[in-house]
Amino acid sequence: MRKKIVAANWKMNLGLNEGSTLVNDILKGLPKLDETRQVVIAPTYVHIGQTAAQLDGKDFISLGAQNCHTEVSGAYTGEVSAPILKSAGVKYVILGHSERREYCKETDAMVASKVNQALANDMKAIFCCGEPLAIRDAGTQNDYVGAQVQAGLFHLSAEQLKNVVIAYEPIWAIGTGRTASSAQAQDMHAHIRSVLSAQYGAAVADNMSILYGGSCKPSNAAELFGCPDVDGGLIGGAALKAEDFLGIIAAM
Ligand code: 13P
């Protein structure tokens, strides 16, 4: 059975003290979750050591990172590799976020090779996909997102795919307050699952967690997560306040 997951993407926010307080407040309010539910917190690289210590020993809340490099080590000033993240206790790596695809010019090929790095280092990849507004307006979002999934993941074996979580994040919904409707989210999640099913078979596709991201908040999380193919969320802004993040976890 596939897991329900709520993951926090802090993006480039919070100092060390603020991050520490936020994690403590989340831990205080977090109910005990069974093995079918998982919370992930992906702070900045600077927070990783501190957050690892705070989450140590808690199975149902895991440490994430927001990126990793395509190479294992070497002269790449300012970068962090998958083996380094693994050594710090990271369990999940967010890859292919639209902000990195846009601002850091990450290509499908780079994202695919980062996915390989995460998996080779026993971490799970949270693979992000999602269309810009012009594509949604043209009505070609299914082809666009299907192509992203194919380019980023189809080189993997069915066995490797067990360590991948997909996050559908329509770019027009990220940080805009304009959430996809539950019908729009369900349609796309079902489409992504059908694309996976065509390549890997229904059993593999049914086991994959597909998260929704984009202006998800406590007030809309229950409706989104209630869709049959929406298995949780990747949360930006609302993950920066303990009360809001806990509200979203409660919806899961
Ligand atoms: P918001 O929740 O702030 O819209 O961000 C979503 C996101 O990009 C998570 O990765």
Side-chain angles (χ1 to χ4, degrees), residues 9 11 94 97 99 169 173-176 213-216 234-238:
N9 176 6
K11 308 192 179 183
I94 298 170
H97 193 285
E99 287 151 15
E169 301 203 313
I174 295 177
T176 58
S215 299
C216 188
L234 179 55
I235 318 301

Side-chain angles (χ1 to χ4, degrees), residues 115-116 119 124 153-165 196-209:
V115 169
N116 293 344
L119 300 187
K124 293 186 193 296
L153 298 179
F154 276 17
H155 64 286
L156 300 176
S157 67
E159 194 57 31
Q160 287 176 306
L161 209 63
K162 287 181 184 163
N163 289 315
V164 176
V165 174
L196 293 167
S197 180
Q199 179 73 7
Y200 292 98
V204 172
D206 280 348
N207 264 316
M208 289 206 61
S209 301

Side-chain angles (χ1 to χ4, degrees), residues 4-50:
K4 300 264 184 204
I5 301 170
V6 167
N9 176 6
W10 286 7
K11 308 192 179 183
M12 195 171 71
N13 292 297
L14 307 178
L16 273 181
N17 286 342
E18 295 162 311
S20 161
T21 303
L22 176 57
V23 171
N24 277 336
D25 289 347
I26 291 166
L27 289 175
K28 266 186 237 152
L30 194 67
K32 179 125 181 50
L33 301 172
D34 64 30
E35 68 277 6
T36 66
R37 275 153 231 269
Q38 185 73 41
V39 175
V40 177
I41 296 183
T44 77
Y45 287 147
V46 172
H47 296 87
I48 292 260
Q50 167 180 285

Side-chain angles (χ1 to χ4, degrees), residues 45 67-83 85 93 95 100 106 110 113-118 121:
Y45 287 147
N67 181 35
C68 72
H69 198 260
T70 53
E71 300 296 328
V72 170
S73 65
Y76 298 98
T77 301
E79 296 292 339
V80 177
S81 71
L85 295 176
V93 190
L95 295 169
R100 293 205 58 86
E106 285 195 7
M110 287 165 75
S113 105
K114 291 176 179 211
V115 169
N116 293 344
Q117 285 292 333
N121 287 281

